[in-house]
Amino acid sequence: MPFKPVENPKCPKCGKSVYAAEERVAGGYKFHKSCFKCGLCGKFLDSTNVTEHEAELYCKNCHARKYGPKGYGFGGGAGCLSMDTGAQFQGEDDVVVNRAVLLPKAIAKAPEGEGCPKCGGFVYAAEQMLARGRGWHKLCFRCGNCERWLDSTSHCDGPDGSVYCNACYAQRFGPRGIGHAGGLFLGLMCDALDIEWQSGQAPKITVADTAAIKAPPGQGCPRCGGVVFAAEEVLAKGRQWHRKCFKCHDCTKTLDSIIACDGPDSDVYCKTCYGKKWGPHGYGFACGSGFLQTDGLSEEEISRGRPFYNPDTTSIKAPPGQGCPRCGGMVFAAEQQLAKGTMWHKKCFNCAECHRPLDSTLACDGPDRDVHCRACYAKLFGPKGFGFGHTPTLVCTDGSAPVIHDPRPNSGPRGAPGQGCKRCGFAVFAAEQMISKTGIYHKRCFSCADCGRSLDSTNQNDAPNGEIYCRGCYGRNFGPKGVGFGMGAGTLTMA
């Protein structure tokens, strides 16, 4: 049986066999890598910019020039400012191929109800625009009135089976009347507006005044008494109001749920008018006699119209042990401040010494069952002595030697043997505890046994005699001696 070589596909451009190592695929055809380029401009192509047409390859620009739509609005037609003369599509000047008149391309008609709603032809996927559940040609997808080009974001489906731009749809099918933009004023948006067409096809809407429809007593709008329908309903004080009636009683400012205030007279006000009419008056309030106002209200009129009285709660005495610790008055929830488990008036919650107003971050509970600011608390109940800023330091006025108090404790409970401070013997609590290898110390007692320098965990040295020293004193007492060490007899010293 004779040998038959395997048939390889032929390259459409050069007609030679294409092998797997050099093949490029486009439109179901296989090309050589060197043949995979645009048939007009010769640009090498890849899978992202190749366009195939009848076994010929083009880049996207050349394909659009040769086979794309032409005309105003398309980048390759007469409406585009281009220097391309189209010479690559023309033959030799001296060769005339055909001088026949070009006729419009015939469009294959589709069955009734299946083609483009405008021209009736078949619509293919590459040029399809969807609207009203049917496919349109891209060239036919225009406004039925002004012929404007449409897309999926700007078209409106009309009830007559056509498509319109937003402006023409509003003119033809939108609401009419005062307050609607689809009346005669919108006609300025389209030059070819036919007044007869508009008036003949636009639905006429009559706006009814619902305030004229009276409701049963106690059920209608509190302002006008008319029936309130759901489309114009606004709720306030458990009653239904017309949206146009929901205004301030005094200044007629339009209200909403944020700025409306229900007055005690069953009406609604804005916040400013409510404060003038029903708010507190007097010095310190922006609507009283202490404020420069020109509303014409006298003090007597304000007093007569004031429905509430603000009593001094400090004059209302509480049962013993239950009132404010400062004044003994009854403390109500709106003005209470908590300290040491008791309730204070907000105006009584100040320092007992300097009377500075306090809050929860500044107040210090003193052992005298009163509250103080931090500075006064430190002066009255803080530690005293040298190093604390509340007693005179080295000051001598009469020539005598200053008295320096020993800051170490000299009273209080003694610690158990082996458990108290190694320096003074008194009990050591956790808040002031310093630990060394030989025991625990007060923070004030944790100092060098020779020079008295205050120590911490980084510079303290535990000595063999059970005491603690700074580094200098430790080296002087327990360090090595001799030549080469700075503390022995072999050192050149003038001491």
Side-chain angles (χ1 to χ4, degrees):
M1 185 175 183
F3 171 74
K4 291 184 179 182
V6 179
E7 288 290 336
N8 291 308
K10 305 298 181 181
C11 175
K13 183 159 284 193
C14 65
K16 297 180 181 180
S17 298
V18 181
Y19 299 96
E22 57 176 353
E23 71 178 18
R24 291 286 186 274
V25 179
Y29 298 98
K30 294 185 178 181
F31 296 81
H32 293 110
K33 187 185 295 186
S34 59
C35 298
F36 202 69
K37 56 186 178 180
C38 178
L40 288 180
C41 64
K43 174 183 176 181
F44 281 96
L45 305 174
D46 55 27
S47 60
T48 62
N49 60 0
V50 64
T51 304
E52 183 269 339
H53 185 85
E54 296 180 356
E56 187 66 42
L57 300 181
Y58 302 94
C59 64
K60 291 187 176 180
N61 291 334
C62 294
H63 183 270
R65 278 198 204 101
K66 193 166 185 178
Y67 301 105
K70 304 294 187 296
Y72 180 76
F74 294 96
C80 182
L81 296 177
S82 174
M83 301 301 292
D84 189 358
T85 60
Q88 64 271 30
F89 307 126
Q90 301 174 1
E92 297 295 334
D93 293 340
D94 55 350
V95 178
V96 178
V97 179
N98 190 1
R99 292 186 179 274
V101 179
L102 293 179
L103 297 176
K105 183 179 178 181
I107 301 176
K109 294 295 181 180
E112 184 68 26
E114 297 182 8
C116 173
K118 193 156 194 174
C119 66
F122 278 105
V123 181
Y124 300 97
E127 56 177 352
Q128 175 176 278
M129 299 293 291
L130 292 177
R132 303 185 61 86
R134 296 184 61 182
W136 299 60
H137 292 118
K138 190 176 293 186
L139 296 177
C140 298
F141 199 61
R142 300 187 183 191
C143 175
N145 182 43
C146 65
E147 294 295 324
R148 174 187 172 191
W149 295 98
L150 303 176
D151 57 24
S152 59
T153 63
S154 61
H155 87 278
C156 297
D157 300 328
D160 57 353
S162 188
V163 289
Y164 298 89
C165 63
N166 293 332
C168 294
Y169 182 88
Q171 283 181 337
R172 178 170 277 197
F173 306 106
R176 296 292 185 277
I178 298 175
H180 294 284
L184 291 176
F185 298 106
L186 196 62
L188 299 177
M189 299 179 63
C190 288
D191 296 331
L193 174 63
D194 188 358
I195 302 299
E196 296 181 359
W197 160 78
Q198 177 187 355
S199 59
Q201 303 221 2
K204 297 185 182 298
I205 297 176
T206 302
V207 179
D209 184 10
T210 55
I213 307 174
K214 296 300 179 183
Q219 298 183 14
C221 173
R223 184 66 54 82
C224 67
V227 175
V228 182
F229 297 97
E232 55 178 352
E233 174 184 78
V234 177
L235 294 177
K237 293 185 71 69
R239 298 280 302 275
Q240 298 170 328
W241 298 65
H242 290 121
R243 192 182 302 274
K244 63 179 181 180
C245 296
F246 196 60
K247 299 179 180 180
C248 176
H249 179 269
D250 287 354
C251 65
T252 66
K253 177 183 178 181
T254 302
L255 304 177
D256 56 24
S257 59
I258 299 176
I259 61 176
C261 297
D262 301 326
D265 58 351
S266 299
D267 216 321
V268 288
Y269 299 85
C270 64
K271 291 185 178 181
T272 303
C273 295
Y274 183 90
K276 285 183 180 179
K277 196 163 188 176
W278 311 105
H281 297 284
Y283 181 76
F285 295 96
C287 300
S289 58
F291 186 77
L292 294 177
Q293 61 177 0
T294 58
D295 55 3
L297 295 177
S298 64
E299 186 61 30
E300 294 180 357
E301 292 174 341
I302 295 174
S303 300
R304 286 197 303 269
R306 185 180 301 158
F308 303 109
Y309 171 66
N310 187 19
D312 183 10
T313 54
T314 60
S315 62
I316 306 174
K317 297 301 178 183
Q322 298 182 16
C324 173
R326 183 68 56 81
C327 66
M330 183 73 72
V331 182
F332 298 94
E335 56 176 350
Q336 74 178 8
Q337 290 281 343
L338 294 177
K340 294 184 71 68
T342 57
M343 295 184 296
W344 299 63
H345 289 119
K346 190 175 292 186
K347 63 180 180 180
C348 296
F349 196 63
N350 51 39
C351 178
E353 294 294 319
C354 64
H355 303 291
R356 176 188 177 186
L358 303 176
D359 56 23
S360 59
T361 62
L362 301 175
C364 297
D365 301 325
D368 56 353
R369 299 187 61 79
D370 215 324
V371 288
H372 305 267
C373 64
R374 292 182 179 179
C376 295
Y377 182 89
K379 287 180 183 177
L380 295 174
F381 309 107
K384 305 293 188 297
F386 181 76
F388 297 95
H390 305 297
T391 56
T393 52
L394 298 177
V395 175
C396 181
T397 58
D398 55 357
S400 60
V403 178
I404 300 177
H405 297 281
D406 187 359
R408 291 177 294 183
N410 52 18
S411 61
R414 288 277 181 177
Q419 297 182 4
C421 175
K422 289 278 293 181
R423 187 66 55 81
C424 65
F426 287 95
V428 182
F429 300 99
E432 57 179 351
Q433 172 178 284
M434 298 294 290
I435 301 176
S436 72
K437 289 179 64 176
T438 57
I440 57 176
Y441 293 80
H442 291 112
K443 191 177 292 186
R444 286 178 266 182
C445 298
F446 200 66
S447 57
C448 178
D450 277 2
C451 63
R453 176 186 176 187
S454 295
L455 303 176
D456 56 29
S457 60
T458 63
N459 60 4
Q460 65 95 9
N461 293 269
D462 297 309
N465 61 356
E467 276 289 354
I468 54 176
Y469 296 87
C470 64
R471 292 181 180 177
C473 296
Y474 182 88
R476 192 179 299 114
N477 292 325
F478 305 102
K481 305 293 190 295
V483 178
F485 297 97
M487 311 299 291
T491 304
L492 295 177
T493 179
M494 301 299 294

